[in-house]
Amino acid sequence: MNPVIGIIGGSGLYQVDGLEDAVWTAFDTPWGAPSDDLLIGTLGGTRMVFLPRHGRGHVQTPSTVNYRANVAAMKAAGVTHLVSVSATGSFREDMAPGHFVIVDQFIDRTFAREKTFFGPGLVAHVSVADPVCPRLSAACAEAARQGGATVHEGGTYLAMEGPQFSTKAESHLYRQWGCDVIGMTNMPEAKLAREAELHYASVAMVTDFDSWHPDHGNVQITDILETLHGNVGRAAAMVAALPGLVGASCGAGCATALDHAIMTAPDARDPDMITRLSTIAGRVL
């Protein structure tokens, strides 16, 4: 089966240039509407689906983004490989503003979001020990390099609730934990992508040094936006290079994550939940 690439664009990335026969298409899901319509077209002969995470015009906060609807809409649109592109702060001197980090681990410090498609009447526990697809992540790294970015492969993403930035004490604490970048949107997105059996990769575009760096002062939105504008061009080039690099399967079990995850006995499953989850978990239900 040919891959269908989904792109969730973070701050500054609100469209994908170069899509052929592109149409903004409305979707609804059992969890409500996604952040915006989905832009569906082809790029390099590959079907591609784009969704601005915060909506066009940036109308959703990190906490009000409907993460379940976003991932469910991508799944309903046929997406098999989902790439998250997001702006982040950095906790490392060598991961400087303008660099791209291909995230491979997360620490989830969010607390005001729905984090699973499952629930009473249909309970499931998926593994997120290795939360990203290694093959898709490698493709993103190569595509980003082709797009002119300085790329770091591997990094731990601290997901904070927001919308405020970190205090200095928090910033220093997260550095002590061994975190590499900080953002507000990759959780629960990554967990939901795993429940939806999607290949998932996270590309962090560094915009600042959070508030720990003694020579760079506190995080200012004006500085972030200036760096972000430069990153967007490199992100667009990365997306354009992806179709030729993404393979159909990774061999890491992304597409079979639900094989042993559902705990509720078949005769105890809520019929309404089965219907609700038909798009997400229909393969195993």
PDB file of all heavy atoms in Angstrom, residues 235-264:
ATOM      1  N   ALA A 235      11.126  24.271   6.674  1.00  0.00           N
ATOM      2  CA  ALA A 235      10.093  23.255   6.890  1.00  0.00           C
ATOM      3  C   ALA A 235       9.368  22.942   5.586  1.00  0.00           C
ATOM      4  O   ALA A 235       9.081  21.778   5.288  1.00  0.00           O
ATOM      5  CB  ALA A 235       9.101  23.728   7.940  1.00  0.00           C
ATOM      6  N   ALA A 236       9.065  23.966   4.807  1.00  0.00           N
ATOM      7  CA  ALA A 236       8.398  23.757   3.521  1.00  0.00           C
ATOM      8  C   ALA A 236       9.267  22.926   2.587  1.00  0.00           C
ATOM      9  O   ALA A 236       8.772  22.035   1.877  1.00  0.00           O
ATOM     10  CB  ALA A 236       8.061  25.104   2.878  1.00  0.00           C
ATOM     11  N   ALA A 237      10.572  23.199   2.584  1.00  0.00           N
ATOM     12  CA  ALA A 237      11.493  22.415   1.759  1.00  0.00           C
ATOM     13  C   ALA A 237      11.558  20.970   2.240  1.00  0.00           C
ATOM     14  O   ALA A 237      11.661  20.033   1.435  1.00  0.00           O
ATOM     15  CB  ALA A 237      12.879  23.050   1.780  1.00  0.00           C
ATOM     16  N   MET A 238      11.531  20.769   3.541  1.00  0.00           N
ATOM     17  CA  MET A 238      11.516  19.412   4.098  1.00  0.00           C
ATOM     18  C   MET A 238      10.280  18.652   3.633  1.00  0.00           C
ATOM     19  O   MET A 238      10.376  17.489   3.184  1.00  0.00           O
ATOM     20  CB  MET A 238      11.553  19.473   5.623  1.00  0.00           C
ATOM     21  CG  MET A 238      11.469  18.105   6.297  1.00  0.00           C
ATOM     22  SD  MET A 238      11.151  18.197   8.081  1.00  0.00           S
ATOM     23  CE  MET A 238       9.405  18.665   8.067  1.00  0.00           C
ATOM     24  N   VAL A 239       9.118  19.284   3.741  1.00  0.00           N
ATOM     25  CA  VAL A 239       7.876  18.639   3.331  1.00  0.00           C
ATOM     26  C   VAL A 239       7.922  18.269   1.855  1.00  0.00           C
ATOM     27  O   VAL A 239       7.491  17.177   1.456  1.00  0.00           O
ATOM     28  CB  VAL A 239       6.676  19.553   3.636  1.00  0.00           C
ATOM     29  CG1 VAL A 239       5.399  19.016   2.996  1.00  0.00           C
ATOM     30  CG2 VAL A 239       6.489  19.698   5.142  1.00  0.00           C
ATOM     31  N   ALA A 240       8.476  19.138   1.032  1.00  0.00           N
ATOM     32  CA  ALA A 240       8.554  18.868  -0.402  1.00  0.00           C
ATOM     33  C   ALA A 240       9.424  17.667  -0.714  1.00  0.00           C
ATOM     34  O   ALA A 240       9.205  16.969  -1.713  1.00  0.00           O
ATOM     35  CB  ALA A 240       9.084  20.103  -1.130  1.00  0.00           C
ATOM     36  N   ALA A 241      10.419  17.393   0.131  1.00  0.00           N
ATOM     37  CA  ALA A 241      11.335  16.273  -0.100  1.00  0.00           C
ATOM     38  C   ALA A 241      10.814  14.954   0.448  1.00  0.00           C
ATOM     39  O   ALA A 241      11.340  13.883   0.107  1.00  0.00           O
ATOM     40  CB  ALA A 241      12.703  16.590   0.515  1.00  0.00           C
ATOM     41  N   LEU A 242       9.805  14.990   1.302  1.00  0.00           N
ATOM     42  CA  LEU A 242       9.345  13.773   1.981  1.00  0.00           C
ATOM     43  C   LEU A 242       8.796  12.684   1.049  1.00  0.00           C
ATOM     44  O   LEU A 242       9.071  11.492   1.270  1.00  0.00           O
ATOM     45  CB  LEU A 242       8.289  14.126   3.023  1.00  0.00           C
ATOM     46  CG  LEU A 242       8.807  14.538   4.397  1.00  0.00           C
ATOM     47  CD1 LEU A 242       7.648  14.993   5.284  1.00  0.00           C
ATOM     48  CD2 LEU A 242       9.548  13.385   5.068  1.00  0.00           C
ATOM     49  N   PRO A 243       7.994  13.017   0.021  1.00  0.00           N
ATOM     50  CA  PRO A 243       7.388  11.947  -0.772  1.00  0.00           C
ATOM     51  C   PRO A 243       8.384  10.936  -1.327  1.00  0.00           C
ATOM     52  O   PRO A 243       8.067   9.746  -1.407  1.00  0.00           O
ATOM     53  CB  PRO A 243       6.675  12.715  -1.896  1.00  0.00           C
ATOM     54  CG  PRO A 243       6.317  14.017  -1.268  1.00  0.00           C
ATOM     55  CD  PRO A 243       7.493  14.344  -0.389  1.00  0.00           C
ATOM     56  N   GLY A 244       9.554  11.368  -1.680  1.00  0.00           N
ATOM     57  CA  GLY A 244      10.537  10.447  -2.237  1.00  0.00           C
ATOM     58  C   GLY A 244      11.290   9.645  -1.201  1.00  0.00           C
ATOM     59  O   GLY A 244      12.110   8.781  -1.550  1.00  0.00           O
ATOM     60  N   LEU A 245      11.030   9.889   0.070  1.00  0.00           N
ATOM     61  CA  LEU A 245      11.811   9.254   1.135  1.00  0.00           C
ATOM     62  C   LEU A 245      10.992   8.369   2.060  1.00  0.00           C
ATOM     63  O   LEU A 245      11.554   7.545   2.791  1.00  0.00           O
ATOM     64  CB  LEU A 245      12.488  10.349   1.984  1.00  0.00           C
ATOM     65  CG  LEU A 245      13.497  11.238   1.254  1.00  0.00           C
ATOM     66  CD1 LEU A 245      13.889  12.420   2.133  1.00  0.00           C
ATOM     67  CD2 LEU A 245      14.725  10.438   0.863  1.00  0.00           C
ATOM     68  N   VAL A 246       9.676   8.519   2.052  1.00  0.00           N
ATOM     69  CA  VAL A 246       8.826   7.785   2.992  1.00  0.00           C
ATOM     70  C   VAL A 246       8.458   6.427   2.417  1.00  0.00           C
ATOM     71  O   VAL A 246       7.904   6.338   1.321  1.00  0.00           O
ATOM     72  CB  VAL A 246       7.551   8.585   3.324  1.00  0.00           C
ATOM     73  CG1 VAL A 246       6.599   7.745   4.171  1.00  0.00           C
ATOM     74  CG2 VAL A 246       7.916   9.866   4.054  1.00  0.00           C
ATOM     75  N   GLY A 247       8.791   5.369   3.163  1.00  0.00           N
ATOM     76  CA  GLY A 247       8.444   4.016   2.763  1.00  0.00           C
ATOM     77  C   GLY A 247       7.118   3.595   3.355  1.00  0.00           C
ATOM     78  O   GLY A 247       6.595   4.216   4.287  1.00  0.00           O
ATOM     79  N   ALA A 248       6.575   2.501   2.859  1.00  0.00           N
ATOM     80  CA  ALA A 248       5.241   2.071   3.274  1.00  0.00           C
ATOM     81  C   ALA A 248       5.224   1.499   4.679  1.00  0.00           C
ATOM     82  O   ALA A 248       4.261   1.659   5.412  1.00  0.00           O
ATOM     83  CB  ALA A 248       4.700   1.046   2.281  1.00  0.00           C
ATOM     84  N   SER A 249       6.259   0.792   5.074  1.00  0.00           N
ATOM     85  CA  SER A 249       6.235   0.125   6.375  1.00  0.00           C
ATOM     86  C   SER A 249       7.562   0.321   7.086  1.00  0.00           C
ATOM     87  O   SER A 249       8.605   0.471   6.455  1.00  0.00           O
ATOM     88  CB  SER A 249       5.960  -1.373   6.201  1.00  0.00           C
ATOM     89  OG  SER A 249       6.006  -2.037   7.439  1.00  0.00           O
ATOM     90  N   CYS A 250       7.514   0.303   8.417  1.00  0.00           N
ATOM     91  CA  CYS A 250       8.740   0.516   9.190  1.00  0.00           C
ATOM     92  C   CYS A 250       9.246  -0.740   9.874  1.00  0.00           C
ATOM     93  O   CYS A 250      10.397  -0.812  10.288  1.00  0.00           O
ATOM     94  CB  CYS A 250       8.516   1.598  10.251  1.00  0.00           C
ATOM     95  SG  CYS A 250       7.342   1.099  11.541  1.00  0.00           S
ATOM     96  N   GLY A 251       8.377  -1.746  10.042  1.00  0.00           N
ATOM     97  CA  GLY A 251       8.776  -2.964  10.725  1.00  0.00           C
ATOM     98  C   GLY A 251       8.860  -2.826  12.234  1.00  0.00           C
ATOM     99  O   GLY A 251       9.302  -3.749  12.924  1.00  0.00           O
ATOM    100  N   ALA A 252       8.450  -1.661  12.773  1.00  0.00           N
ATOM    101  CA  ALA A 252       8.550  -1.413  14.208  1.00  0.00           C
ATOM    102  C   ALA A 252       7.223  -1.585  14.930  1.00  0.00           C
ATOM    103  O   ALA A 252       7.128  -1.331  16.127  1.00  0.00           O
ATOM    104  CB  ALA A 252       9.096  -0.013  14.456  1.00  0.00           C
ATOM    105  N   GLY A 253       6.186  -1.981  14.207  1.00  0.00           N
ATOM    106  CA  GLY A 253       4.902  -2.246  14.848  1.00  0.00           C
ATOM    107  C   GLY A 253       3.978  -1.060  14.979  1.00  0.00           C
ATOM    108  O   GLY A 253       2.939  -1.161  15.657  1.00  0.00           O
ATOM    109  N   CYS A 254       4.297   0.062  14.330  1.00  0.00           N
ATOM    110  CA  CYS A 254       3.416   1.233  14.435  1.00  0.00           C
ATOM    111  C   CYS A 254       2.002   0.922  13.966  1.00  0.00           C
ATOM    112  O   CYS A 254       1.019   1.345  14.589  1.00  0.00           O
ATOM    113  CB  CYS A 254       3.988   2.386  13.613  1.00  0.00           C
ATOM    114  SG  CYS A 254       5.617   2.971  14.118  1.00  0.00           S
ATOM    115  N   ALA A 255       1.904   0.192  12.853  1.00  0.00           N
ATOM    116  CA  ALA A 255       0.606  -0.072  12.238  1.00  0.00           C
ATOM    117  C   ALA A 255      -0.145  -1.219  12.892  1.00  0.00           C
ATOM    118  O   ALA A 255      -1.270  -1.545  12.492  1.00  0.00           O
ATOM    119  CB  ALA A 255       0.784  -0.358  10.750  1.00  0.00           C
ATOM    120  N   THR A 256       0.459  -1.853  13.909  1.00  0.00           N
ATOM    121  CA  THR A 256      -0.198  -2.959  14.607  1.00  0.00           C
ATOM    122  C   THR A 256      -0.199  -2.729  16.119  1.00  0.00           C
ATOM    123  O   THR A 256      -0.214  -3.669  16.904  1.00  0.00           O
ATOM    124  CB  THR A 256       0.493  -4.290  14.282  1.00  0.00           C
ATOM    125  OG1 THR A 256       1.892  -4.187  14.594  1.00  0.00           O
ATOM    126  CG2 THR A 256       0.332  -4.647  12.813  1.00  0.00           C
ATOM    127  N   ALA A 257      -0.201  -1.464  16.532  1.00  0.00           N
ATOM    128  CA  ALA A 257      -0.069  -1.119  17.946  1.00  0.00           C
ATOM    129  C   ALA A 257      -1.223  -1.628  18.801  1.00  0.00           C
ATOM    130  O   ALA A 257      -1.076  -1.807  20.009  1.00  0.00           O
ATOM    131  CB  ALA A 257       0.058   0.392  18.102  1.00  0.00           C
ATOM    132  N   LEU A 258      -2.375  -1.883  18.180  1.00  0.00           N
ATOM    133  CA  LEU A 258      -3.548  -2.311  18.941  1.00  0.00           C
ATOM    134  C   LEU A 258      -3.703  -3.826  19.016  1.00  0.00           C
ATOM    135  O   LEU A 258      -4.682  -4.317  19.590  1.00  0.00           O
ATOM    136  CB  LEU A 258      -4.814  -1.706  18.333  1.00  0.00           C
ATOM    137  CG  LEU A 258      -4.963  -0.185  18.440  1.00  0.00           C
ATOM    138  CD1 LEU A 258      -6.228   0.266  17.709  1.00  0.00           C
ATOM    139  CD2 LEU A 258      -5.008   0.269  19.886  1.00  0.00           C
ATOM    140  N   ASP A 259      -2.760  -4.564  18.467  1.00  0.00           N
ATOM    141  CA  ASP A 259      -2.911  -6.022  18.409  1.00  0.00           C
ATOM    142  C   ASP A 259      -3.209  -6.647  19.765  1.00  0.00           C
ATOM    143  O   ASP A 259      -4.017  -7.567  19.865  1.00  0.00           O
ATOM    144  CB  ASP A 259      -1.653  -6.650  17.813  1.00  0.00           C
ATOM    145  CG  ASP A 259      -1.700  -6.720  16.299  1.00  0.00           C
ATOM    146  OD1 ASP A 259      -2.712  -6.289  15.711  1.00  0.00           O
ATOM    147  OD2 ASP A 259      -0.714  -7.190  15.683  1.00  0.00           O
ATOM    148  N   HIS A 260      -2.554  -6.187  20.803  1.00  0.00           N
ATOM    149  CA  HIS A 260      -2.743  -6.772  22.132  1.00  0.00           C
ATOM    150  C   HIS A 260      -3.140  -5.704  23.165  1.00  0.00           C
ATOM    151  O   HIS A 260      -2.948  -5.912  24.363  1.00  0.00           O
ATOM    152  CB  HIS A 260      -1.464  -7.475  22.575  1.00  0.00           C
ATOM    153  CG  HIS A 260      -0.947  -8.471  21.580  1.00  0.00           C
ATOM    154  ND1 HIS A 260      -1.588  -9.665  21.322  1.00  0.00           N
ATOM    155  CD2 HIS A 260       0.128  -8.430  20.743  1.00  0.00           C
ATOM    156  CE1 HIS A 260      -0.929 -10.333  20.390  1.00  0.00           C
ATOM    157  NE2 HIS A 260       0.107  -9.612  20.019  1.00  0.00           N
ATOM    158  N   ALA A 261      -3.695  -4.595  22.681  1.00  0.00           N
ATOM    159  CA  ALA A 261      -3.931  -3.452  23.568  1.00  0.00           C
ATOM    160  C   ALA A 261      -5.312  -3.438  24.200  1.00  0.00           C
ATOM    161  O   ALA A 261      -5.490  -2.904  25.297  1.00  0.00           O
ATOM    162  CB  ALA A 261      -3.715  -2.149  22.800  1.00  0.00           C
ATOM    163  N   ILE A 262      -6.309  -4.002  23.529  1.00  0.00           N
ATOM    164  CA  ILE A 262      -7.679  -3.884  24.018  1.00  0.00           C
ATOM    165  C   ILE A 262      -7.919  -4.896  25.136  1.00  0.00           C
ATOM    166  O   ILE A 262      -7.732  -6.100  24.961  1.00  0.00           O
ATOM    167  CB  ILE A 262      -8.686  -4.063  22.871  1.00  0.00           C
ATOM    168  CG1 ILE A 262      -8.513  -2.914  21.865  1.00  0.00           C
ATOM    169  CG2 ILE A 262     -10.119  -4.098  23.404  1.00  0.00           C
ATOM    170  CD1 ILE A 262      -9.411  -2.988  20.669  1.00  0.00           C
ATOM    171  N   MET A 263      -8.345  -4.392  26.290  1.00  0.00           N
ATOM    172  CA  MET A 263      -8.515  -5.209  27.481  1.00  0.00           C
ATOM    173  C   MET A 263      -9.955  -5.690  27.691  1.00  0.00           C
ATOM    174  O   MET A 263     -10.179  -6.723  28.315  1.00  0.00           O
ATOM    175  CB  MET A 263      -8.074  -4.411  28.710  1.00  0.00           C
ATOM    176  CG  MET A 263      -6.650  -3.886  28.634  1.00  0.00           C
ATOM    177  SD  MET A 263      -5.421  -5.199  28.508  1.00  0.00           S
ATOM    178  CE  MET A 263      -5.587  -5.969  30.120  1.00  0.00           C
ATOM    179  N   THR A 264     -10.918  -4.942  27.201  1.00  0.00           N
ATOM    180  CA  THR A 264     -12.318  -5.277  27.446  1.00  0.00           C
ATOM    181  C   THR A 264     -12.726  -6.524  26.664  1.00  0.00           C
ATOM    182  O   THR A 264     -12.485  -6.611  25.449  1.00  0.00           O
ATOM    183  CB  THR A 264     -13.219  -4.095  27.058  1.00  0.00           C
ATOM    184  OG1 THR A 264     -12.760  -2.916  27.712  1.00  0.00           O
ATOM    185  CG2 THR A 264     -14.663  -4.361  27.457  1.00  0.00           C
TER     186      THR A 264
END
